[in-house]
Amino acid sequence: MRLDFSTSITAADAKTRTIFGQIVPFGQSGSTSLGPVIFEAGSLHIGENVKVLLEHDGRRPVGKLVSHSANPSGIMGEMKISQTTAGSDVLVEAADGLRGGISVGANIIEHTVKDGTIIVQAAELVEVSLVTSPAFADARVTQVAASADDETQTVEETEMTEQPIEVIEEVAEVEASKVEASTYGSPIFTQPRELPALTAGQYAHKMLAAQRGDRSAIDFVTAAGEATTTNNAGLIPVPYMREVIGVVDSSRPFIDSIERRALPSAGMSFRIPVRDVAPTVGETAELGTPSDTAMEVSDLEVSVVKFAGQNRVSIELLERSDPSYLDEVLRNLAASYAQQTDLYAFTEGVVGAGASGGVGYVAAIADAISDSANVMRKDPNRLLVGSTQYASILADVDGSGRPLFTAVGPTTNAAGQISRSAGSVMGLDLVKDYNIGATNILAYPSDYAAFYESGTAQVRVNVIDTMTVEIAVYGFVALANKYPTAIRAITVS
């Protein structure tokens, strides 16, 4: 997932052409393009050559992030502004209080959700933008430079307003048949602003009405996007994408049980280095020759695939039905996307899987734990089961008819504890997945494979002609099976 959030510029120096500010706060809830978000300490990875943009527009670079440092409250960054007209304007705007916010774009890699707030454990910084309005309530400009010739001056701390100036662009009227397809998807941006809460279908209805020339719909869509939609065509406000993402993420148990990573930005395949032969160390006699095994490294080629589905809607259905029809279309397309991508990841993830087994579940799973540990030198931590195997584990009993895994009363059985929502079987986290084959049961460490994805499900709305509209959900994914024999297909005799 891609999110964008704003903090404050704390200092701007026109002589050195630098701007300082907080890149990310730790432990503080802020308004972002995905709703309320809290970053845990150490959760943001910052690479090299991070560009500084204006209003998230990749066509308007004004500098680079040259250094950053972490403290208990967050990460502070220093941005070097280029000696261009646009760069000089940025420094003057910061001095005058017209551009007092730093908006950061990041790809979420690992997260949890608690009470509607996204808790980020791992994310990667994509870009830094200078914006007019920061999203965090305590955003302030504390030090600015009036001009390139004046010394840096300190001014009183003034709280930044959270009400951006409303700008509505003129939209040329064109025939519906000539409207180009608009793509809505990750990344997503919004400015702090009060807008009506819309479902996915209702927003799609607004967008289609705007494409057909409805002035009120054009005004709404322009205001919803603010400067980001003006500069980056095809971006979606929070209610739209959060609904789609919520459906997708809730039904992919196998994908959620392994590593999740962002897909590279280009190419239909990529490569990962793989160690084939490891160097060795052995006991060596005095003046003896040390162990000398050369390390050999090859690479694993990972293919990128696309999953997509669409639904063509007649103008009669669009005009004469409630917008909730579009909600249902998107929910069902997103659900199918989730199921099919989960099945794809599982199918690719069991290629080359090892075989383990034994008499009864305890012996069979114990054999799988031992076999898997020998591959990566670490114990597995997941037990994946289909519907039939899940039912069999629930019903498994000892010779006296006592359940082996389903806890009875307050006593936890030694072999494990299973409830309807979660469970542990012989120390392995139980993963129920109804998208895979019903009889499958496998044990594996969560990092034996990695699932790559470009955001989550993205949505495309096309005007085919004056009588037909096309709604589609799609996404690009890849599965890297790094240690194939670490996942063990279990046979229970």
Side-chain angles (χ1 to χ4, degrees):
M1 294 188 297
R2 167 68 181 263
L3 68 79
D4 303 279
F5 59 95
S6 302
T7 56
S8 59
I9 292 176
T10 57
D13 190 332
K15 287 187 175 180
T16 61
R17 304 191 71 84
T18 54
I19 288 180
F20 303 87
Q22 189 176 57
I23 294 176
V24 59
F26 293 148
Q28 177 183 347
S29 179
S31 173
T32 76
S33 64
L34 296 179
V37 169
I38 295 176
F39 278 78
E40 293 185 349
S43 60
L44 185 63
H45 170 72
I46 302 176
E48 298 180 353
N49 298 320
V50 176
K51 293 182 179 179
V52 178
L53 311 176
L54 284 183
E55 303 290 348
H56 299 290
D57 189 345
R59 299 165 299 181
R60 302 168 68 192
V62 293
K64 294 178 65 175
L65 181 67
V66 293
S67 68
H68 61 276
S69 61
N71 57 52
S73 63
I75 299 177
M76 301 298 293
E78 176 185 357
M79 288 154 280
K80 182 72 172 181
I81 304 303
S82 300
Q83 195 154 359
T84 62
T85 301
S88 299
D89 290 344
V90 164
L91 292 168
V92 173
E93 289 169 347
D96 293 343
L98 301 178
R99 194 177 298 275
I102 301 174
S103 185
V104 177
N107 283 332
I108 296 180
I109 299 173
E110 296 180 11
H111 74 284
T112 58
V113 179
K114 182 178 181 181
D115 298 329
T117 298
I118 297 175
I119 312 296
V120 178
Q121 286 89 34
E124 182 176 10
L125 182 65
V126 177
E127 49 89 3
V128 179
S129 285
L130 301 174
V131 297
T132 55
S133 299
F136 286 86
D138 60 352
R140 302 170 187 271
V141 174
T142 57
Q143 189 178 19
V144 297
S147 69
D149 298 324
D150 297 338
E151 294 184 357
T152 301
Q153 58 182 335
T154 301
V155 298
E156 292 185 359
E157 293 188 353
T158 306
E159 187 167 352
M160 300 296 295
T161 176
E162 291 194 5
Q163 296 297 327
I165 299 173
E166 181 171 341
V167 179
I168 299 178
E169 285 193 342
E170 292 298 323
V171 179
E173 295 186 3
V174 295
E175 296 180 9
S177 60
K178 296 182 180 178
V179 177
E180 295 184 357
S182 297
T183 302
Y184 307 104
S186 175
I188 356 175
F189 308 87
T190 56
Q191 296 289 345
R193 178 193 171 102
E194 293 295 327
L195 288 172
L198 297 183
T199 65
Q202 288 170 334
Y203 186 78
H205 209 273
K206 287 280 189 184
M207 288 299 303
L208 293 171
Q211 290 184 0
R212 293 197 303 273
D214 186 300
R215 186 68 235 182
S216 63
I218 291 172
D219 291 347
F220 175 86
V221 171
T222 306
E226 293 289 325
T228 55
T229 300
T230 301
N231 298 328
N232 301 271
L235 304 180
I236 300 182
V238 175
Y240 196 176
M241 287 305 293
R242 288 192 71 189
E243 180 137 351
V244 176
I245 288 171
V247 173
V248 170
D249 283 350
S250 65
S251 59
R252 303 199 290 183
F254 176 71
I255 289 175
D256 290 338
S257 73
I258 60 177
E259 283 189 349
R260 299 278 296 273
R261 296 181 180 274
L263 194 68
S265 59
M268 293 306 294
S269 67
F270 57 94
R271 295 178 180 271
I272 301 174
V274 177
R275 187 198 67 196
D276 295 326
V277 178
T280 58
V281 173
E283 182 179 353
T284 306
E286 185 177 2
L287 300 180
T289 301
S291 176
D292 185 14
T293 303
M295 185 173 71
E296 297 181 10
V297 177
S298 61
D299 54 39
L300 171 67
E301 183 173 4
V302 182
S303 298
V304 177
V305 299
K306 179 180 70 177
F307 282 83
Q310 67 182 30
N311 192 270
R312 291 197 174 190
V313 183
S314 69
I315 196 69
E316 289 84 359
L317 185 57
L318 183 66
E319 296 290 348
R320 303 301 297 172
S321 71
D322 189 89
S324 62
Y325 172 81
L326 291 179
D327 282 322
E328 290 303 315
V329 169
L330 290 172
R331 273 194 288 267
N332 282 275
L333 285 172
S336 179
Y337 173 89
Q339 294 161 13
Q340 294 304 314
T341 52
D342 195 49
L343 177 58
Y344 168 78
F346 171 76
T347 302
E348 293 295 313
V350 297
V351 174
S356 302
V359 178
Y361 280 102
V362 172
I365 295 172
D367 186 58
I369 292 174
S370 175
D371 291 342
S372 177
N374 286 331
V375 177
M376 296 177 61
R377 295 296 187 265
K378 64 187 300 185
D379 290 337
N381 59 347
R382 301 283 192 265
L383 184 69
L384 179 72
V385 296
S387 57
T388 301
Q389 290 289 357
Y390 177 59
S392 297
I393 290 176
L394 286 176
D396 200 22
V397 295
D398 64 12
S400 301
R402 294 172 298 187
L404 286 178
F405 303 104
T406 309
V408 178
T411 303
T412 301
N413 295 349
Q417 181 177 6
I418 298 176
S419 67
R420 287 298 180 91
S421 59
S424 172
V425 175
M426 298 179 62
L428 307 180
D429 293 336
L430 185 66
V431 180
K432 299 178 293 181
D433 195 337
Y434 298 141
N435 298 324
I436 67 173
T439 60
N440 281 308
I441 175 171
L442 305 102
Y444 53 93
S446 57
D447 55 351
Y448 94 96
F451 181 74
Y452 294 78
E453 189 169 28
S454 56
T456 316
Q458 302 182 37
V459 179
R460 181 181 290 270
V461 180
N462 295 340
V463 177
I464 304 301
D465 53 45
T466 56
M467 294 291 108
T468 310
V469 172
E470 183 180 82
I471 310 294
V473 168
Y474 71 98
F476 294 95
V477 303
L479 192 285
N481 193 342
K482 298 180 290 184
Y483 299 93
T485 56
I487 183 170
R488 313 299 300 187
I490 302 172
T491 299
V492 183
S493 303

